[in-house]
Amino acid sequence: MIINTKYFDEVDVAEDEKISFPEPILGFEDSSKYILVRFYDEPDGLFCLQATDNPDAAFVVFDPNYVVENYTASLSKDDLKTLQADKDTLLAFYVIAVIRDDWRTSTVNLRCPIAINPEKRIGKQLIMDDTSYSMRHPIDPGAQKEV
């Protein structure tokens, strides 16, 4: 299947690469299927979480441990149920980045990460109550304050 993307023009996607979001990402209620596309040919790094039906629904995401050591996401029983997971399921977590022209002012949302069950291909945006994680955490480790 060919999909139009925000950053990569057209991408050929196999059906088993799609990630279903039973509950929409905030602000994107019309999109429920996404793919992860690497920005670079590296095992880790920057990804684009791209909606399969809307080229404009695309998010720059990456592992939160790149900006916060020992990042821990809190999942409720309902979150686990949505992800078809239990406490022993290995989940992948990504944070959504807001990339600005001056990258030093770019931020990530640590309080509302994306959780993905890679085995079931199900994702969910978590909304955590933990106020120790910011919604606008600076990417630049030299940044002095929350943007």
Side-chain angles (χ1 to χ4, degrees), residues 24-112:
I25 293 175
L26 290 176
F28 293 86
E29 286 73 18
D30 294 336
S31 295
S32 64
K33 302 262 188 215
Y34 290 80
I35 58 168
L36 273 174
V37 182
R38 292 181 197 281
F39 277 102
Y40 306 103
D41 270 342
E42 299 174 13
D44 295 321
L46 288 176
F47 293 86
C48 176
L49 183 64
Q50 174 69 59
T52 60
D53 62 350
N54 179 357
D56 293 326
F59 308 95
V60 175
V61 299
F62 58 87
D63 184 328
N65 288 291
Y66 288 136
V67 291
V68 175
E69 197 172 320
N70 299 318
Y71 178 84
T72 305
S74 304
L75 286 94
S76 69
K77 288 180 182 177
D78 286 340
D79 294 334
L80 290 171
K81 183 177 179 181
T82 299
L83 293 164
Q84 295 181 18
D86 60 35
K87 62 182 177 66
D88 297 321
T89 304
L90 185 60
L91 301 173
F93 294 95
Y94 299 92
V95 287
I96 296 176
V98 175
I99 306 298
R100 295 190 169 80
D101 289 337
D102 178 359
W103 71 270
R104 293 169 297 191
T105 62
S106 298
T107 59
V108 294
N109 183 343
L110 295 173
R111 198 175 311 165
C112 303

Side-chain angles (χ1 to χ4, degrees), residues 100 106-110 133-138 145-147:
R100 295 190 169 80
S106 298
T107 59
V108 294
N109 183 343
L110 295 173
Y133 288 130
S134 170
M135 294 176 130
R136 292 187 188 98
H137 183 84
K145 62 179 180 159
E146 183 179 302
V147 178

Side-chain angles (χ1 to χ4, degrees), residues 113-129:
I114 302 293
I116 296 175
N117 180 339
E119 187 177 306
K120 301 284 187 174
R121 308 297 297 168
I122 298 173
K124 181 178 185 352
Q125 183 177 31
L126 307 177
I127 310 299
M128 300 191 310
D129 293 329

